[in-house]
Amino acid sequence: MPHSSFLAEVRDAVTPRATLLVVGVIALQLLFIASYVGALHDPKPRDVPFGVVAPQAAAGQAVGRLEQLPGSPLDPRALPNAAAARTRLNHRDIDAALIIDPRGSTDTLLVASGGGRVLSTTLTALVTTLEKSERRTIRTIDVIPSAPHDPNGLSSFYLVIGWCVGGYLGAAALAISAGAKPSNPTRAAIRLAVMALVAITGGLGGALIAGPILDALPGGTAALWGLGTLIIFAVGAATLALQGVFGTIGIGLVILLVVILGNPSAGGALPPPLLPPFWKAIGPALPPGAGTWSTRSIAYFDDNAMTGPLLVLSAWAVAGAAITLAAATVRRRATATQPP
């Protein structure tokens, strides 16, 4: 009897639903480890947009030589002059530029550590090695340096992570308080409205902390506020949508998309050119990647190259809101057609 009583207690304590949830947690845990280690363990530059400034004949030779490097670390293109190189850097069309001096033995490398210090350091080391093989030297100029209180260029990434966490935790709290699946479109609309208020508040708070309070990021506070609001609402709306369709399991799906897939591919710890191909490809389509790119553009690149990322975030917000309302409508109709 004691043995059967113990088994009964086990069955009561660990229901089939709880077992499935625990298995799901273990799967997410292993995916988390695999994604972060897989994306970040072996950084190598791959097809980094790279400018070359030199007289026409020398530029062609230099571009050809850089294109033939093993592993294709650089994607070189000839530029007419140093001013064009600086403009392309500011517009985020290239990540570095080599200005070759045909009359001397010292060339100039332009980098932008505001886009990620790891990348600028990697490119400096690579070009230094190449120059030594040609018996030349370089001097490095950081034309868009990271802020003094953001030496590694990671504050933008951490800010976006905080905004994303606010988005999915805020939506999860709204769902858990009264059932993951909203019972009708009105309730779904109310949750979306509350999520918008959460986004406005969290966006402002994050912008103030990273900007005026801690002085970690330059750039306009209003622009960061608007971006933070969009990021929080996009992630929150996506969370409400997945909860509306899948119930509590939707929270796990959000963690899979935003945390397990989104954070390692966001270009924060390692800028996109240093990520493996899979992570480099998916990063721009997920909120952490689009948000990190946009935050750096606001902070360091005069708001340039933000159209694509803002469209991505807007798509997440609009699709999340539409699916949330549609799921609630379908659920209400299904409930109405059930016999009493």
Side-chain angles (χ1 to χ4, degrees):
M1 288 294 294
H3 180 69
S4 61
S5 176
F6 175 75
L7 290 179
E9 289 289 343
V10 171
R11 285 193 293 269
D12 287 340
V14 186
T15 63
R17 176 182 173 84
T19 301
L20 289 176
L21 290 175
V22 170
V23 170
V25 169
I26 294 173
L28 288 175
Q29 175 191 41
L30 297 179
L31 287 171
F32 182 94
I33 295 171
S35 66
Y36 279 72
V37 175
L40 307 178
H41 79 290
D42 186 23
K44 293 179 181 177
R46 295 173 179 85
D47 298 320
V48 180
F50 190 84
V52 177
V53 178
Q56 188 171 3
Q61 293 175 358
V63 168
R65 186 169 67 252
L66 295 175
E67 287 177 334
Q68 300 303 317
L69 291 176
S72 186
L74 302 177
D75 178 17
R77 68 285 309 268
L79 299 177
N81 50 52
R86 289 173 178 268
T87 299
R88 298 286 288 273
L89 276 167
N90 191 50
H91 285 81
R92 310 195 75 177
D93 296 325
I94 59 175
D95 291 307
L98 179 63
I99 303 173
I100 298 174
D101 182 3
R103 297 173 294 181
S105 60
T106 300
D107 299 327
T108 301
L109 179 66
L110 305 181
V111 297
S113 64
R117 184 168 294 277
V118 176
L119 178 58
S120 62
T121 301
T122 300
L123 293 175
T124 300
L126 173 63
V127 175
T128 299
T129 301
L130 295 175
E131 291 283 278
K132 284 183 178 179
S133 68
E134 299 288 333
R135 297 183 179 180
R136 300 179 67 83
T137 60
I138 67 164
R139 65 185 184 105
T140 302
I141 300 177
D142 194 348
V143 296
I144 306 176
S146 56
H149 295 161
D150 183 30
N152 295 316
L154 292 176
S155 295
S156 54
F157 175 53
Y158 295 140
L159 176 60
V160 171
I161 288 179
W163 280 332
C164 289
V165 168
Y168 63 73
L169 287 185
L174 288 172
I176 293 172
S177 65
K181 295 180 179 180
S183 58
N184 56 64
T186 301
R187 177 173 292 179
I190 292 172
R191 289 181 179 179
L192 288 170
V194 173
M195 196 66 243
L197 294 176
V198 170
I200 293 170
T201 304
L204 176 60
L208 291 175
I209 291 172
I213 295 176
L214 297 180
D215 195 25
L217 287 177
T221 300
L224 288 175
W225 179 13
L227 176 63
T229 300
L230 178 57
I231 291 172
I232 295 171
F233 185 78
V235 174
T239 303
L240 291 175
L242 290 172
Q243 289 172 338
V245 175
F246 299 104
T248 305
I249 296 175
I251 298 175
L253 295 177
V254 171
I255 293 174
L256 174 65
L257 288 171
V258 176
V259 179
I260 293 177
L261 294 177
N263 287 352
S265 64
L270 293 179
L274 298 179
L275 292 172
F278 171 76
W279 301 100
K280 180 180 178 180
I282 68 171
L286 298 173
T292 299
W293 179 277
S294 298
T295 303
R296 283 178 172 159
S297 289
I298 291 172
Y300 297 112
F301 296 94
D302 299 328
D303 301 341
N304 288 317
M306 290 181 59
T307 302
L310 290 180
L311 288 175
V312 168
L313 292 169
S314 299
W316 278 81
V318 172
I323 293 173
T324 299
L325 294 172
T329 301
V330 171
R331 180 176 174 81
R332 184 185 65 176
R333 291 176 180 173
T335 303
T337 57
Q338 291 177 355

